[in-house]
Amino acid sequence: MSMLSKSEVLSIIMDGGLLEDFLNWLTERGVDLNEPRKLNELEEKYFIEYARERKLIDEDFVELLKGEDNVEDVFEPAELRPRTRPKKY
């Protein structure tokens, strides 16, 4: 499915201020939100589907990071790094 966990996608939704939109989206999908429940109790598929529809996650990007121990190498290739380390003050 996705490399991101349900809690990571929920964090993206919350940080983006999209909680109300997410709840409305769930209601449109027929998810019963009347009974008190925690968002973590919802199935992961709802989080992933919402994030894909709203383009909050990009599966190509997730696949790019898959298996990368050092994510910085993806964004800053070695040939572009300065040879001397910055001074610490």
Side-chain angles (χ1 to χ4, degrees), residues 2-4 59-74:
S2 173
M3 290 291 300
L4 296 173
E59 288 303 312
D60 294 334
F61 177 74
V62 171
E63 287 299 317
L64 176 69
L65 297 180
K66 183 178 181 180
E68 284 291 329
D69 292 332
N70 190 1
V71 177
E72 294 169 352
D73 289 338
V74 174

Side-chain angles (χ1 to χ4, degrees), residues 17-79:
L18 298 170
L19 181 60
E20 187 174 341
D21 184 54
F22 179 59
L23 295 175
N24 291 335
W25 182 86
L26 287 170
T27 303
E28 291 172 5
R29 298 292 183 276
V31 177
D32 183 23
L33 297 175
N34 291 330
E35 59 186 64
R37 64 166 51 176
K38 296 179 182 178
L39 285 176
N40 287 337
E41 294 175 0
L42 292 174
E43 294 179 39
E44 182 179 9
K45 68 178 183 176
Y46 293 118
F47 293 94
I48 301 299
E49 185 179 343
Y50 175 81
R52 284 183 182 155
E53 280 187 21
R54 298 296 192 258
K55 302 196 184 310
L56 299 175
I57 58 173
D58 182 11
E59 288 303 312
D60 294 334
F61 177 74
V62 171
E63 287 299 317
L64 176 69
L65 297 180
K66 183 178 181 180
E68 284 291 329
D69 292 332
N70 190 1
V71 177
E72 294 169 352
D73 289 338
V74 174
F75 299 106
E76 187 177 347
E79 63 270 5

